[in-house]
Amino acid sequence: MKNEILGIHHITAIAGNAKKNYDFYTGILGLRLIKKTVNFDDPHTYHFYYGDEKGTPGSILTFFPWEGIQAGRRGTKQVTEIGYSVPAGSLDFWQNRFEQHNIIYNKPAVKFGERYLTFLDPDGLKFELTEAKVKDTRPQWETAAVSKENAVHGFHHITITTNKMEATAAVLTQIFGYKLAETEVNRSRFVIDTVEQANIVDLVEAPGEAIGHVAGGSVHHVAFRVKDEATLMYFRDKIVEQGLNITEKIDRNYFYSLYFREPGGVLFELATDNPGFTIDESLDELGHNLKLPAQYESIREEIEGILPKLT
Ligand code: ZN
């Protein structure tokens, strides 16, 4: 069996108000809430997972909503943009939708030969919708408002901003197996060929840029995808060989993971495909129930009383 990184597994970000977050991602953006659970370290806070129908790795965006949290600031040592892939010709739909719903966006632009539309979520988290050159065949989640002609397919890329990209690039190329594909001005595009989608990391080198502050509206970490636990441990050894600190294997109920801070300052995670989100809910039911890890079942009533209502 090959030991491979399979692109992005999930991205985790920080939000403010839980209901606003839920309404934006399920309503405006048309994603499926695939898991509603709590922060395992802070069970009075939600942990939302949004994705496609099944919560396929490469489509999963997760949030910790903390009411009243201060706003973060984009800068270096951060994932500064999250890119989704959308069908060709759908950017007009999205631009109209953002206009109607008072979402902050920029007019479409082009980079690496692809049209994209930038927008901010209610907490200021920055996104791009990209009409990808390579046709994206990943099945989409459809809602009454966002049908298949326009719905997002899953991640296209992430952007990391850095003063000097060398050390981060070395992790991507020497440990993970990404290759530098293209450079436009100060943006270098790294691509991994083990998967067709969610396989791009852009490094933006901005020598004068200040360090960002990770808080509301910021990405907390990005998780890269591996097939299983054996592969996870193979990469753990590789990372330790490079002299980097990394956690032990952690059971996140829906995947197994490891965390390490890459030398450029961004928190990276490696996460497995197994066991997946249907381990404690059927495919139809995904996201409908508040799922608690075993250690918190005894205080379910208390937790349910404290968590904000979503409807
Ligand atoms: Zn994670």
Side-chain angles (χ1 to χ4, degrees), residues 24-25 28-31 61 63 74 80-86 91 94-95 97-99 102-108 116-130 152:
F24 182 82
Y25 287 96
I28 304 294
L29 215 53
L31 304 181
L61 177 64
F63 283 93
R74 269 188 295 283
T80 46
E81 291 157 358
I82 298 171
Y84 275 113
S85 131
V86 292
L91 291 189
W94 286 108
Q95 192 174 337
R97 189 162 178 76
F98 295 157
E99 185 66 39
N102 296 315
I103 309 300
I104 298 170
Y105 69 92
N106 282 336
K107 275 192 294 191
Y116 69 96
L117 172 64
T118 304
F119 69 94
L120 302 181
D121 90 345
D123 292 295
L125 186 62
K126 190 178 175 193
F127 287 87
E128 290 177 358
L129 300 179
T130 299
V152 303

Side-chain angles (χ1 to χ4, degrees), residues 219-239:
V219 171
H220 184 265
H221 65 265
V222 55
F224 292 86
R225 175 183 180 191
V226 294
K227 185 171 177 290
D228 55 21
E229 292 159 77
T231 319
L232 190 72
M233 298 317 278
Y234 167 83
F235 280 101
R236 187 177 192 281
D237 289 344
K238 266 187 102 162
I239 290 158

Side-chain angles (χ1 to χ4, degrees), residues 10 12 47 62 221 223 255 257 259 269:
H10 68 269
T12 293
H47 191 182
T62 98
H221 65 265
F255 46 84
S257 68
Y259 299 82
E269 179 182 359

Side-chain angles (χ1 to χ4, degrees), residues 58-72:
S59 78
I60 309 161
L61 177 64
T62 98
F63 283 93
F64 295 120
W66 274 299
E67 183 67 45
I69 191 169
Q70 65 171 139

